[in-house]
Amino acid sequence: MQPDIIRRLLPNWGATYGPSTKGPFPGIVLLHGSEGGFSGWTHRTAVIFAAHGYLCYPHSYSTGGNAWNSGSIEDVDISRTADALSALRGFEHCSGKVAVYGVSRGAEHALLLSFLTAKGSSQRRPDAVACLAAPDVICGAFDARRFRDSGDPGWQVWDPSRRAWLWNGSSDELLPTMPIDVETFEGPMFLSVGTNDQTWSSEMTARLQDRREKAGLPVEAHYYTGEGHVPGSEGENMHHALLLSFFRRTLAPDV
């Protein structure tokens, strides 16, 4: 019996998940958060989206790490993510339409990718951007080996000299505390957040939404009442329904 969802290797990058039928299919690049690429969460989400007709590539960008340690988000060159998106767009099983979807630090990553690629080749630029629990400013580096909860004796003050992101080898445009540019990318944008998010306040998403609206750019924003940084079962089901509706509209073939 042929599985409904199968893996296909995106050469030089990694596994994609998509329907076992011929295709081609709209593509989605998924960006993990501080849980890292080895955690498997983006692969789980990729399979869910694949069941609805999408070709999904979970892009692991964290540095180091393994199945027991998520690694770090430090000096991550977003130009490599743009190359991965371009590779998925050109993949024989992809329709040529590609969105990027990120959660938490992955949402930050997705927003940064959108404006950094906005003026360059359309091959490396997402057709749509979707985020869950995004900050509205650039954050510093994260290292799971040093992370401790507040109150833990090993807790350390955040070091702003350590940079999370690079673009073509430089962090000059991506310094911690800089507002994330959401006015340059002109394509459709989906923003979402739990109103009880204790990591990044839902006010951050509200500010992103406000800036998009003032710039006259397309934005769809959803606020999940009572949900935290990562929604529970009911909240996740609602989030996925809204997200799939967004992808259906924004990744439809050109007519």
Side-chain angles (χ1 to χ4, degrees), residues 123-147:
Q123 183 74 11
R124 304 171 85 222
R125 186 189 318 142
D127 293 291
V129 175
C131 299
L132 172 62
D136 64 341
V137 296
I138 297 173
C139 299
F142 171 84
D143 189 338
R145 295 171 300 179
R146 296 182 174 89
F147 178 78

Side-chain angles (χ1 to χ4, degrees), residues 7-10 13-17 43 56-58:
R7 287 175 53 174
R8 298 178 177 91
L9 179 65
L10 181 62
W13 292 100
T16 68
Y17 299 85
H43 290 258
C56 301
Y57 167 58

Side-chain angles (χ1 to χ4, degrees), residues 14 48 56 72 78 85 87 89 96 123 132 143 183 200 209 235 255:
I48 292 173
C56 301
S72 65
I78 297 174
L85 188 148
R89 191 188 302 279
Q123 183 74 11
L132 172 62
D143 189 338
E183 292 89 354
W200 287 319
Q209 177 188 3
V255 293

Side-chain angles (χ1 to χ4, degrees), residues 151-170:
D152 187 287
W155 183 84
Q156 299 178 26
V157 175
W158 171 59
D159 182 354
S161 69
R162 297 175 61 201
R163 310 290 162 74
W165 312 108
L166 305 173
W167 178 247
N168 293 326
S170 171

Side-chain angles (χ1 to χ4, degrees), residues 146-193:
R146 296 182 174 89
F147 178 78
R148 299 292 185 275
D149 291 326
S150 178
D152 187 287
W155 183 84
Q156 299 178 26
V157 175
W158 171 59
D159 182 354
S161 69
R162 297 175 61 201
R163 310 290 162 74
W165 312 108
L166 305 173
W167 178 247
N168 293 326
S170 171
S171 63
D172 290 349
E173 298 180 64
L174 301 168
L175 302 181
T177 75
M178 280 184 171
I180 296 176
D181 179 345
V182 291
E183 292 89 354
T184 300
F185 176 71
E186 297 180 352
M189 183 176 288
F190 178 105
L191 301 172
S192 58
V193 67

Side-chain angles (χ1 to χ4, degrees), residues 2-173:
Q2 172 78 340
D4 292 333
I5 304 302
I6 61 172
R7 287 175 53 174
R8 298 178 177 91
L9 179 65
L10 181 62
N12 301 316
W13 292 100
T16 68
Y17 299 85
S20 58
T21 51
K22 185 177 180 181
F25 312 100
I28 303 173
V29 175
L30 293 94
L31 300 174
H32 60 76
S34 55
E35 77 279 5
F38 285 98
S39 70
W41 283 104
T42 47
H43 290 258
R44 167 187 175 272
T45 305
V47 171
I48 292 173
F49 292 159
H52 293 269
Y54 297 95
L55 181 68
C56 301
Y57 167 58
H59 180 57
S60 180
Y61 62 87
S62 51
T63 304
N66 51 45
W68 297 271
N69 187 297
S70 64
S72 65
I73 299 175
E74 184 167 12
D75 294 335
V76 172
D77 202 320
I78 297 174
S79 62
R80 186 172 182 274
T81 308
D83 290 339
L85 188 148
S86 176
L88 182 63
R89 191 188 302 279
F91 195 33
E92 61 181 304
H93 303 287
C94 182
S95 68
K97 288 290 192 74
V98 179
V100 61
Y101 168 56
V103 177
S104 190
R105 294 307 298 260
E108 177 188 1
H109 190 158
L111 291 176
L112 295 175
L113 174 72
S114 71
F115 92 78
L116 290 166
T117 58
K119 301 301 184 183
S121 167
S122 60
Q123 183 74 11
R124 304 171 85 222
R125 186 189 318 142
D127 293 291
V129 175
C131 299
L132 172 62
D136 64 341
V137 296
I138 297 173
C139 299
F142 171 84
D143 189 338
R145 295 171 300 179
R146 296 182 174 89
F147 178 78
R148 299 292 185 275
D149 291 326
S150 178
D152 187 287
W155 183 84
Q156 299 178 26
V157 175
W158 171 59
D159 182 354
S161 69
R162 297 175 61 201
R163 310 290 162 74
W165 312 108
L166 305 173
W167 178 247
N168 293 326
S170 171
S171 63
D172 290 349
E173 298 180 64

